[in-house]
Amino acid sequence: MRTFLDANILFSAVKTDGAIRRLLQLVRDAGHDCRVDGYVIEEARRNLAAKAPGSDAALNALLQKMTIADLHPSGPASDAVLALAEKDRPALAAAIRSGCEALVTGDSTHFGRFYGKTLGGVAIHSPQSLAGKLLK
């Protein structure tokens, strides 16, 4: 399964040696493809610089284990993408362009109402729901 990771997932995996880091290891160990793009990488870098300075090496090491999609200029948005807040649209658009089956995000404020639903062919998951799906 191709899974697109939102910036907050990258942030959490780098900042603490906790559940998110273990989830990403589980995803990779099961042979799934974790994908990101320049937009989510830069958002994660900004947040890490502000809240966990000195974590660039850890982020770079994590990114080496992922597929990095090209950053595309924004174009016409699909109805699925328009359902999200403007700041979250690039992540879903990249997941759709990358042919991902899932997008995992811890952003329950903006994505929470879409957890368990499919937008533009991409199933939206919380970290917990993705773990549940993989551990079936």
Side-chain angles (χ1 to χ4, degrees):
M1 172 171 58
R2 277 189 204 143
T3 303
F4 195 86
L5 309 177
D6 198 6
N8 57 66
I9 298 298
L10 292 176
F11 176 90
S12 296
V14 169
K15 189 168 185 269
T16 62
D17 184 16
I20 300 299
R21 191 179 297 173
R22 287 190 299 277
L23 174 63
L24 294 184
Q25 188 64 50
L26 173 70
V27 169
R28 287 191 311 273
D29 288 350
H32 300 289
D33 181 18
C34 293
R35 294 186 176 228
V36 294
D37 76 345
Y39 180 84
V40 298
I41 293 169
E42 286 311 309
E43 183 178 345
R45 275 192 206 288
R46 265 193 322 275
N47 291 328
L48 286 163
K51 298 174 185 172
S55 55
D56 264 358
L59 177 60
N60 291 335
L62 180 64
L63 292 173
Q64 289 178 3
K65 301 171 186 174
M66 300 182 182
T67 301
I68 300 175
D70 291 333
L71 182 61
H72 292 281
S74 56
S78 69
D79 289 342
V81 172
L82 290 174
L84 293 169
E86 190 171 339
K87 77 168 200 67
D88 296 310
R89 292 174 185 169
L92 178 58
I96 293 168
R97 276 192 308 275
S98 297
C100 291
E101 291 89 3
L103 182 150
V104 62
T105 178
D107 181 355
S108 60
T109 301
H110 297 111
F111 282 94
R113 67 187 173 125
F114 300 110
Y115 284 165
K117 296 181 179 166
T118 299
L119 298 175
V122 178
I124 310 299
H125 285 280
S126 67
Q128 295 83 2
S129 69
L130 182 65
K133 180 176 177 64
L134 294 175
L135 295 174
K136 282 185 184 180

